[in-house]
């Protein structure tokens, strides 16, 4: 080795320690993690950024360091990995659908003591069953921001054309099928079905069944029980037998949103869909009517997908983090944040304030609010790893719809696989 | 300069890096595979060889191993043959052509994600590129990625095309690295066309071939992105290959111990295959190596 | 014909990126956009909250450093394995090979914990250092070095050149094409890597292009194909530019080799 080579080596080794970068300053840096929202909506970004700046202005010495992780699955993985490494962000946006894995592994701080102590904050301002999504007995792990029940969107013009009345209250599976049959015509489907389990699991519920046992511990006997088989057979028949919904490969082939382009008359989806429908010119917004899900029970039941803010257990500045949560969930901030129209505000005052303006819009918002009391929290809020259950469910549906596997066989296989995974937990 | 330490000086930086960023994590994984690490709960009971025993009786793992073997058996030789042919055609043009040379590197440059999206479109039922074309001849539409018999061949076909770019680059570099004097000598002997290929190009490509074969086999057994993007292991687990299986175990179920044990079995499988490949190539390589 | 086939993915990406934002995947007959929506590019490049040029700088710094590091580290090791005789050579080489055979998904967690211990998370170090050694690179260059006739370095040694000089002045210049190949692979792999930079960085200022631009993937209602393809083209163009600039090196090996 020549001297020059040796020097180069030393220089290389000496450079390494410079890589350490620790934050040491008098100001408080609060790390906020979220899933990045909708990247193609610049108004939303501008608003959120402005809200952050306002918080910093109101709390001198506090700097918000926002860590956006695009993609919901990537977001969960990334924050869990931060937890394993002992480097969770201070505040995280918590999606109800993946809430259990964070709450039940002790990654989050119980907010109940803050709620109790802080007279300026009242949980009574929020819809009670929305708050309960992140509750474990007396402990509360997230302050809800917004949520959406899943509903049926109807194209009222299509209904008029077919001479079918848009349902105003409870309607049964049979009513839904006959409406779909009468709505279906050349180039148009009565119902746009997608194999996305968060969008069809409610059909099991509305047939008096479920995916998991009430304690969330097993799927056999429930997911493959007779009433579940009946519900899934009903959905499969819509596609395969009655042909009122496109086959999955037909839907994939067109690659377009059928409802939004007037090629389907009904669709099961959440509040966020209203925000995206604005971009479609073929659809008259006045003709969009929101109704509850069809049911074979006395009262229709649906699911409520929700987002909130939580504080991590190893947060270095819990008091500041609580101030941020309070600020974020305040009426002033939420009434602006909610204008994006993605979801229903978790604050009752803000949600009710949205009931004004153009009549068809008010009717839709009212329909959502009417449904709130009958909405359940998603399984993912209480069962860790529920995303795997959904994967098995979707696979079963794929096998049924695309590869001709009988419903009972597909569901039994899925239920057994789910139980096997639960046993390993 | 002629000191016995010199060879070690040359390999020291790579070795140091290998130890820190290769072996340390692998040893960690080995250690973890003897425990039942609940990574999120932070508990870690010792289970000895329990995880390995579990795998022996796990039909899911067996299925994944079989799928990977099928995939490798089809895609590796086909991919190599196509790449050599294209590289032969391309190397003359790459030598000659100016600006358009870059074209040959485009498939290698596009990210796998973008390419997978393109292929989803190619395989779409009814309106996809293939189905729209076959429909002109009155053939029935096939949902390639969702029908049991089609999904695996579809992935293999795609991988031959997607892997063409990188493999071709390696072959082109290999072909360009053959000293022209050898061709001149062959020409004097009257060898042209295919004869020249078999007497000069192919034997001279032996080290390149070995490289493409070994890395291709490794990559085939670790196949992940296209499965993740396009089929998620379906339909009916027919494309659940080891790379994807281990990913699910590690990142979806957070069963890090199981994933580690699976990786070690995979290591053994690939290791045996690679050893065989090296042994077979040894004869061809004689006369090239310094030892 | 072949060129058209090879160009297809890029052309497809380009055409889809010119469709209206949030529109669906165009089928073949609608692939040519009725009007070109160049505003997608304005949207991505000039987005006030997405510092594209910062991402670009990060990608360039990281990919550049990884390429430089890999070329030096791997070529040195490859020279050792291909040209020198020493004890434990076969064994050490098999260690390199073996490390390639281990599934990367499993080593990501320990590597992440290691990088955290080094306090490198959210710094360039985390993005560069794990990438500068590559068993793949060592293997690739070793195979190319094996192709070079042994007489060439023996002639140099007889002329009194030391090992470093043989490596630096004889073998490397003859291996331009091979080095360019490895450089290209290292550049592409680093440039298009998604998962590692995603978990190893957290602040927006440390994001690479591939990760930073992935926020355009989602709209409220499923994927936004045109914007996603716009982002993909934006990510791709710098790479193509680098290739255009460096392409002559891919063929240089031959000419220099034949002069000798």
């Amino acid at each position: 080795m020549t001297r020059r080579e040796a020097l180069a080596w030393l220089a290389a080794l000496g450079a390494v320690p410079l890589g350490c970068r620790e934050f040491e300053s008098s100001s408080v840096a609060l790390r906020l993690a979220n899933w990045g929202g909708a990247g193609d909506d610049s108004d939303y970004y501008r608003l959120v950024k402005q809200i952050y700046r306002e918080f910093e202005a109101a709390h001198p010495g506090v700097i918000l360091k926002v860590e956006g992780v695009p993609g919901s699955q990537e977001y969960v993985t990334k924050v869990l990995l931060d937890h394993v490494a002992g480097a969770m962000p201070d505040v995280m946006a918590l999606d109800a659908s993946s809430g259990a894995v964070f709450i039940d592994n002790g990654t989050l701080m119980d907010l109940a003591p803050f709620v109790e102590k802080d007279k300026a904050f009242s949980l009574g301002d929020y819809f009670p069953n929305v708050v309960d999504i992140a509750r474990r007995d007396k402990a509360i792990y997230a302050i809800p921001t917004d949520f959406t029940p899943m509903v049926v969107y109807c194209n009222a013009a299509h209904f008029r054309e077919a001479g079918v009345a848009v349902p105003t209250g409870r309607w049964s599976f049979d009513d839904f099928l006959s409406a779909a049959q009468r709505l279906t015509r050349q180039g148009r489907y009565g119902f746009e079905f997608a194999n996305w389990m968060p969008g069809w699991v409610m059909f099991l519920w509305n047939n008096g069944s479920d995916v998991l046992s009430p304690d969330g511990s097993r799927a056999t006997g429930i997911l493959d029980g007779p009433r579940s088989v009946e519900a899934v057979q009903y959905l499969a028949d819509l596609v395969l037998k009655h042909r009122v919904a496109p086959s999955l490969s037909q839907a994939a082939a067109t690659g377009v949103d059928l409802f939004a382009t007037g090629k389907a008359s009904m669709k099961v989806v959440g509040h966020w869909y209203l925000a995206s429908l604005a971009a479609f010119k073929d659809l008259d917004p006045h003709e969009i009517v929101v109704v509850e899900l069809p049911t074979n029970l006395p009262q229709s039941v649906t699911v409520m997908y929700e987002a909130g803010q939580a504080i991590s257990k190893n947060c270095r500045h819990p008091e500041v983090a609580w101030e941020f949560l309070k600020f974020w969930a305040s009426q002033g901030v939420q009434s602006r944040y909610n204008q994006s129209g993605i979801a229903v505000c978790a604050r009752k005052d803000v949600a009710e304030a949205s009931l004004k303006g153009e009549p068809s819009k008010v009717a839709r918002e009212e329909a959502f609010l009417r449904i709130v009391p009958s909405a359940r929290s998603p399984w993912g809020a209480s069962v860790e790893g529920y995303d795997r259950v959904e994967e098995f469910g979707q696979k079963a549906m794929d096998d049924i719809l695309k590869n001709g596997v009988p419903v009972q066989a597909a569901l039994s296989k899925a239920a057994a696989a789910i139980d096997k995974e639960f046993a390993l937990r | 300069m002629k000191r016995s330490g010199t060879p070690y000086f040359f390999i020291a930086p790579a070795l140091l890096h290998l130890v820190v960023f290769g072996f340390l994590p692998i040893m960690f994984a080995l250690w973890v595979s003897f425990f039942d690490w609940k990574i999120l709960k932070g508990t870690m009971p010792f289970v000895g060889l329990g995880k390995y025993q579990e795998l022996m009786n796990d039909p899911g793992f067996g299925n994944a191993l079989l799928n990977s073997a099928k995939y490798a058996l089809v895609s590796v030789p086909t991919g190599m043959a196509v790449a050599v042919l294209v590289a032969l055609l391309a190397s003359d043009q790459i030598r000659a052509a100016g600006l358009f040379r870059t074209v040959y590197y485009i498939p290698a440059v596009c990210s796998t994600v973008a390419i997978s999206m393109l292929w989803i479109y190619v395989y779409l039922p009814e309106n996809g590129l293939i189905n729209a074309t076959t429909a002109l001849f009155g053939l029935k539409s096939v949902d390639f990625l969702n029908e049991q018999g089609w999904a695996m061949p579809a992935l293999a076909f795609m991988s031959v095309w997607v892997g063409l770019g990188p493999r071709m680059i390696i072959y082109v570099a290999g072909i360009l690295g053959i000293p022209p004097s050898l061709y001149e000598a062959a020409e004097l002997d009257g060898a042209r066309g295919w004869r020249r290929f078999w007497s000069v190009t192919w034997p001279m490509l032996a080290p390149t071939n070995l490289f493409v074969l070994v890395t291709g086999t490794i990559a085939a057994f670790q196949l992940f992105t296209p499965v993740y993007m396009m089929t998620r292991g379906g339909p009916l687990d027919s494309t659940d290959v080891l790379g994807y299986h281990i990913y699910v175990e590690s990142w979806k179920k957070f069963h890090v111990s199981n994933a580690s044990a699976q990786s070690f079995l995979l290591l053994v499988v690939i290791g045996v295959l690679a050893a065989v490949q090296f042994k077979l190539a040894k004869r061809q390589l004689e006369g090239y190596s310094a030892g | 014909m072949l060129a058209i086939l090879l160009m297809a993915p890029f052309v497809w990406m380009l055409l889809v990126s010119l469709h209206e934002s949030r529109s669906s995947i165009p089928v073949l007959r609608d692939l040519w956009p009725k009007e070109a929506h160049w505003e997608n590019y304005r949207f991505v490049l000039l987005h006030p909250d997405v510092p594209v040029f910062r991402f670009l700088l990060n990608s360039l710094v990281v990919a550049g450093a990884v390429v430089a590091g890999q070329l030096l580290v791997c070529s040195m090791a490859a020279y050792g394995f291909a040209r020198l005789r020493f004890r434990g050579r076969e064994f050490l080489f098999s260690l390199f090979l073996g490390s390639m055979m281990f599934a990367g998904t499993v080593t990501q967690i320990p590597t992440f914990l290691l990088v955290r211990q080094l306090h490198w998370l959210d710094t360039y170090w985390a993005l560069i250092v794990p990438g500068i050694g590559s068993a793949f690179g060592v293997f690739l260059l070793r195979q190319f070095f094996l192709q070079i006739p042994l007489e060439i370095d023996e002639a140099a040694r007889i002329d009194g050149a030391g090992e470093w000089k043989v490596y630096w002045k004889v073998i490397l210049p003859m291996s331009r094409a091979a080095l360019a190949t490895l450089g290209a692979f290292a550049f592409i792999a680093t440039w298009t890597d998604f998962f590692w930079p995603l978990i190893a960085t957290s602040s927006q200022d440390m994001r690479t292009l591939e990760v930073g631009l992935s926020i355009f993937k989602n709209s409220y209602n499923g994927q936004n194909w045109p914007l996603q393809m716009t982002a993909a083209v934006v990510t791709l163009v710098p790479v193509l530019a680098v290739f255009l600039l460096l392409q002559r090196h891919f063929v240089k090996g031959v000419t220099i080799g034949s002069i000798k």
Side-chain angles (χ1 to χ4, degrees):
Chain A
M1 198 187 291
T2 66
R3 189 180 305 152
R4 226 177 45 203
E5 287 155 30
L7 278 176
W9 269 108
L10 273 177
L13 286 173
V16 171
L18 295 176
C20 307
R21 199 175 91 177
E22 290 286 306
F23 288 103
E24 278 169 43
S25 79
S26 57
S27 63
V28 172
L30 205 61
R31 291 171 57 209
L32 311 181
N34 59 48
W35 50 82
D40 57 359
D41 184 344
S42 22
D43 293 342
Y44 174 84
Y45 261 95
R46 204 168 302 133
L47 175 67
V48 170
K49 203 171 157 188
Q50 196 192 333
I51 295 173
Y52 290 151
R53 294 295 90 85
E54 286 168 18
F55 179 79
E56 286 173 338
H59 299 80
V62 177
I63 297 167
L64 298 178
K65 286 177 63 72
V66 182
E67 304 178 357
V69 183
S72 53
Q73 185 61 47
E74 285 85 355
Y75 173 71
V76 172
T77 306
K78 163 92 169 121
V79 180
L80 284 177
L81 201 54
D82 285 343
H83 157 67
V84 171
M88 278 262 282
D90 299 301
V91 173
M92 71 174 287
L94 189 70
D95 182 345
S97 303
S98 55
V101 68
F102 290 101
I103 296 173
D104 296 336
N105 284 307
T107 71
L108 301 178
M109 197 176 273
D110 175 14
L111 303 177
F114 290 106
V115 174
E116 223 162 275
K117 213 167 50 191
D118 197 329
K119 295 287 166 261
F121 180 87
S122 165
L123 268 185
D125 291 341
Y126 303 82
F127 290 102
N129 55 346
V130 179
V131 174
D132 286 348
I133 291 176
R135 193 194 283 275
R136 296 286 188 273
D137 295 324
K138 284 201 169 62
I140 291 166
Y141 291 98
I143 302 301
T145 305
D146 51 7
F147 67 97
T148 171
M150 295 291 275
V151 297
V152 182
Y153 279 64
C154 300
N155 186 325
H158 292 183
F159 275 71
R160 267 199 313 280
E161 213 177 292
V164 183
V166 177
T168 49
R170 179 188 176 279
W171 55 329
S172 68
F173 278 20
D174 288 340
D175 298 335
F176 182 81
L177 171 62
S178 78
Q181 278 172 323
R182 291 172 63 190
L183 287 161
T184 300
R185 53 195 57 208
Q186 186 63 38
R188 187 191 291 169
Y189 290 100
F191 176 48
E192 179 178 7
F193 178 72
N195 183 12
W196 180 58
M197 193 161 164
W200 59 254
V201 63
M202 304 81 68
F203 281 86
L204 272 63
W205 298 355
N206 278 307
N207 200 37
S209 182
D210 208 329
V211 180
L212 303 176
S213 57
D215 62 352
S217 68
R218 78 192 151 86
T220 47
I222 321 290
L223 177 59
D224 57 353
R227 300 199 70 85
S228 296
V229 172
E230 204 178 87
V232 172
Q233 187 70 58
Y234 172 81
L235 289 171
D237 284 348
L238 292 179
V239 176
L240 300 175
K241 188 170 152 199
H242 307 297
R243 298 183 187 277
V244 296
S247 79
L248 296 187
S249 53
Q250 279 163 341
T254 42
V256 291
D257 187 314
L258 295 175
F259 183 86
T261 50
K263 295 190 180 79
S265 309
M266 295 188 287
K267 176 169 178 150
V268 173
V269 66
H271 194 284
W272 68 85
Y273 192 49
L274 285 176
S276 74
L277 278 181
F280 288 91
K281 292 153 213 95
D282 316 347
L283 202 63
D284 181 354
H286 300 96
E287 301 285 9
I288 304 167
V289 180
V290 166
V291 305
E292 62 184 48
L293 296 170
T295 186
N296 287 339
L297 304 176
Q299 155 96 55
S300 171
V301 50
T302 191
V303 65
M304 185 157 50
Y305 296 118
E306 176 259 359
Q309 297 278 343
I311 302 179
S312 75
K313 194 156 229 168
N314 62 3
C315 171
R316 292 157 301 171
H317 314 286
E319 298 293 335
V320 182
W322 171 251
E323 283 302 314
F324 176 77
L325 256 62
K326 226 169 60 171
F327 176 79
W328 184 258
S330 66
Q331 190 193 8
V333 169
Q334 280 306 315
S335 52
R336 282 188 296 155
Y337 179 79
N338 197 243
Q339 275 165 11
S340 68
I342 303 174
V344 184
C345 185
R347 289 187 70 96
K348 288 187 277 191
D349 46 8
V350 176
E352 274 150 22
S354 69
L355 296 178
K356 57 174 193 271
E358 192 268 316
S360 78
K361 175 200 167 236
V362 171
R364 283 191 296 271
E365 297 298 335
E366 268 173 355
F368 274 104
L369 291 186
R370 237 189 349 261
I371 290 167
V372 175
S374 67
R376 273 172 60 164
S377 65
W379 272 118
S382 54
V383 174
E384 184 183 331
Y386 184 70
D387 56 324
R388 293 285 298 155
V389 174
E390 288 179 330
E391 237 166 80
F392 284 117
Q394 278 164 207
K395 258 188 191 163
M397 187 63 96
D398 266 342
D399 291 348
I400 293 163
L401 292 179
K402 292 173 178 168
N403 286 290
V405 177
V407 173
Q408 179 73 62
L411 292 181
S412 293
K413 188 179 152 212
I418 291 165
D419 279 12
K420 198 174 147 214
E421 276 206 33
F422 280 4
L424 287 172
R425 206 154 277 148
Chain B
M1 272 303 281
K2 274 272 179 217
R3 268 176 290 155
S4 60
T6 311
Y8 300 103
F9 160 75
F10 276 101
I11 59 166
L15 195 61
L16 178 71
H17 186 276
L18 182 71
V19 167
V20 176
F21 292 99
F23 288 150
L24 221 58
I26 291 177
M27 285 306 128
F28 184 83
L30 179 66
W31 186 65
V32 159
S33 74
F34 298 126
F35 294 81
D36 186 14
W37 188 19
K38 308 271 192 217
I39 183 168
L40 298 176
K41 298 214 161 43
T43 61
M44 203 164 171
F46 182 73
V47 294
L49 290 172
K51 291 292 167 196
Y52 294 90
Q53 277 162 355
E54 256 174 52
L55 282 183
M56 295 301 163
N57 307 317
D58 179 0
F61 183 73
N63 175 53
L65 191 61
L66 196 68
N67 284 337
S68 282
K70 275 192 229 164
Y71 172 82
L73 208 60
V74 176
S75 68
V76 176
T78 325
M80 281 176 74
V82 174
V84 173
L85 283 176
V86 176
L88 280 174
L89 291 174
S91 58
D92 287 338
Q93 293 181 40
I94 286 183
R95 242 189 267 258
L99 196 81
F100 286 102
R101 239 177 247 152
T102 310
V103 165
Y104 290 97
Y105 299 103
I106 284 182
V109 174
C110 295
S111 78
T112 335
V113 175
I115 290 197
S116 297
M117 284 166 70
L118 167 66
W119 279 83
I120 290 175
Y121 162 74
V122 169
Y123 284 141
L124 268 187
E126 320 223 357
N127 290 324
L129 190 60
I130 297 178
N131 278 311
T133 314
T134 54
L136 298 177
F137 303 100
L139 293 176
K140 206 172 146 277
S141 167
V142 176
D143 192 349
F144 291 102
L145 295 176
N146 287 300
E147 284 175 29
Q148 205 185 352
W150 280 107
M152 185 58 112
L155 279 181
F157 182 71
M158 172 188 138
S159 86
V160 168
W161 190 90
V162 171
L164 177 61
R167 267 186 222 123
M168 194 194 69
I169 292 186
I170 295 174
Y171 274 119
V172 168
I175 292 168
L176 296 182
I178 297 173
S181 55
L182 290 179
Y183 284 113
E184 285 151 21
E187 218 130 302
L188 287 178
D189 293 345
R192 294 194 167 274
W194 280 110
R195 266 192 58 204
R196 197 179 74 159
F197 173 77
W198 287 117
S199 65
V200 180
T201 315
W202 186 251
M204 284 306 288
L205 282 178
T208 315
N209 270 328
L210 177 65
F211 176 81
V212 175
L213 181 65
V214 172
T215 55
T217 309
I218 294 174
F221 274 92
Q222 295 188 354
L223 180 77
F224 168 69
T225 311
V227 178
Y228 176 77
M229 293 287 301
M230 298 168 80
T231 64
R232 302 247 162 179
L236 298 162
D237 296 327
S238 61
T239 60
D240 186 23
V241 291
L242 280 175
Y244 182 72
H245 196 81
I246 292 174
Y247 159 83
V248 169
E249 206 69 44
S250 173
W251 290 105
K252 296 284 221 146
K253 304 188 200 166
F254 286 100
H255 291 165
V256 180
S257 293
N258 299 40
S260 300
Q262 293 182 358
S263 299
F264 274 96
L265 286 185
L266 174 60
L267 178 71
V268 171
V269 172
I270 305 180
V272 168
L273 287 175
V276 171
Q277 290 166 346
F278 265 87
K279 198 128 223 165
L280 289 175
K282 188 126 197 186
R283 232 173 320 132
Q284 285 186 29
L285 281 170
E286 266 161 26
Y288 291 103
S289 163
Chain C
M1 178 60 205
L2 184 64
I4 293 172
L5 210 64
L6 294 170
M7 284 283 281
F10 183 67
V11 172
W12 185 77
M13 282 161 62
L14 195 65
L15 288 176
V16 174
S17 77
L18 293 176
H19 280 256
E20 194 180 356
S21 174
R22 294 189 195 179
S23 62
S24 56
I25 328 165
V27 297
L28 193 56
R29 61 176 175 277
D30 302 331
L31 188 56
W32 192 263
K34 285 189 193 72
E35 45 181 326
H37 290 264
W38 291 104
E39 74 270 13
N40 290 344
Y41 285 85
R42 200 169 50 219
F43 186 82
V44 169
L45 290 174
L46 301 178
H47 199 293
D49 302 305
V50 182
V52 177
F53 294 97
R54 172 75 204 204
F55 297 159
L56 179 68
L57 177 75
N58 291 341
S59 283
L60 283 173
V61 167
V62 171
V66 168
V67 169
Q70 261 195 34
L71 286 181
L72 180 68
V73 169
C74 296
S75 67
M76 282 173 71
Y79 178 79
F81 284 124
R83 300 314 244 203
L84 303 173
R85 245 182 259 254
F86 58 93
R87 241 146 78 106
R89 187 179 70 172
E90 304 302 316
F91 171 73
L92 285 174
F93 183 67
S94 69
L95 287 185
F96 277 88
L97 278 184
S99 75
M100 276 172 73
M101 299 169 192
F102 201 77
T105 39
V106 171
T107 50
Q108 273 161 343
I109 291 175
T111 308
F112 178 81
L113 297 176
L114 174 67
V115 167
R116 152 116 186 116
Q117 282 303 314
L118 295 166
H119 296 282
W120 283 355
L121 286 184
D122 214 19
T123 69
Y124 281 141
W125 298 102
L127 299 178
I128 295 169
V129 180
I132 58 170
S134 157
F136 177 87
V138 173
F139 187 20
L140 178 77
L141 292 182
R142 171 188 180 263
Q143 298 308 93
F144 280 119
F145 292 172
L146 286 179
Q147 263 189 356
I148 301 172
L150 275 173
E151 299 83 54
I152 289 179
D153 23 334
E154 264 150 31
R157 281 194 200 101
I158 289 166
D159 291 347
E163 289 305 336
W164 180 263
K165 203 163 179 194
V166 174
Y167 157 75
W168 192 256
K169 289 274 162 87
V170 179
I171 300 293
L172 286 193
M174 287 190 68
S175 310
R176 291 257 176 123
L179 291 172
T181 305
L182 175 62
F185 279 128
F187 192 83
I188 292 165
T190 313
W191 195 270
T192 59
D193 192 13
F194 178 76
F195 195 68
W196 177 252
L198 178 79
I199 60 175
T201 66
S202 42
S203 57
Q204 199 184 32
D205 281 350
M206 287 306 298
R207 296 295 200 202
T208 57
L209 268 181
E210 189 79 22
V211 176
L213 293 186
S214 68
I215 63 156
F216 293 113
K217 243 175 10 190
N218 299 300
S219 69
Y220 304 124
N221 197 36
Q223 294 196 318
N224 189 335
W225 285 67
L227 268 195
Q228 203 171 345
M229 285 301 128
T230 308
V233 172
V234 168
T235 313
L236 188 57
V237 165
V239 193
L240 290 180
V242 168
F243 270 71
L244 274 174
L245 283 174
L246 299 181
Q247 55 174 332
R248 57 198 178 85
H249 290 287
F250 285 94
V251 291
K252 209 144 203 177
V254 221
T255 43
I256 294 199
S258 55
I259 291 168
K260 276 269 164 188

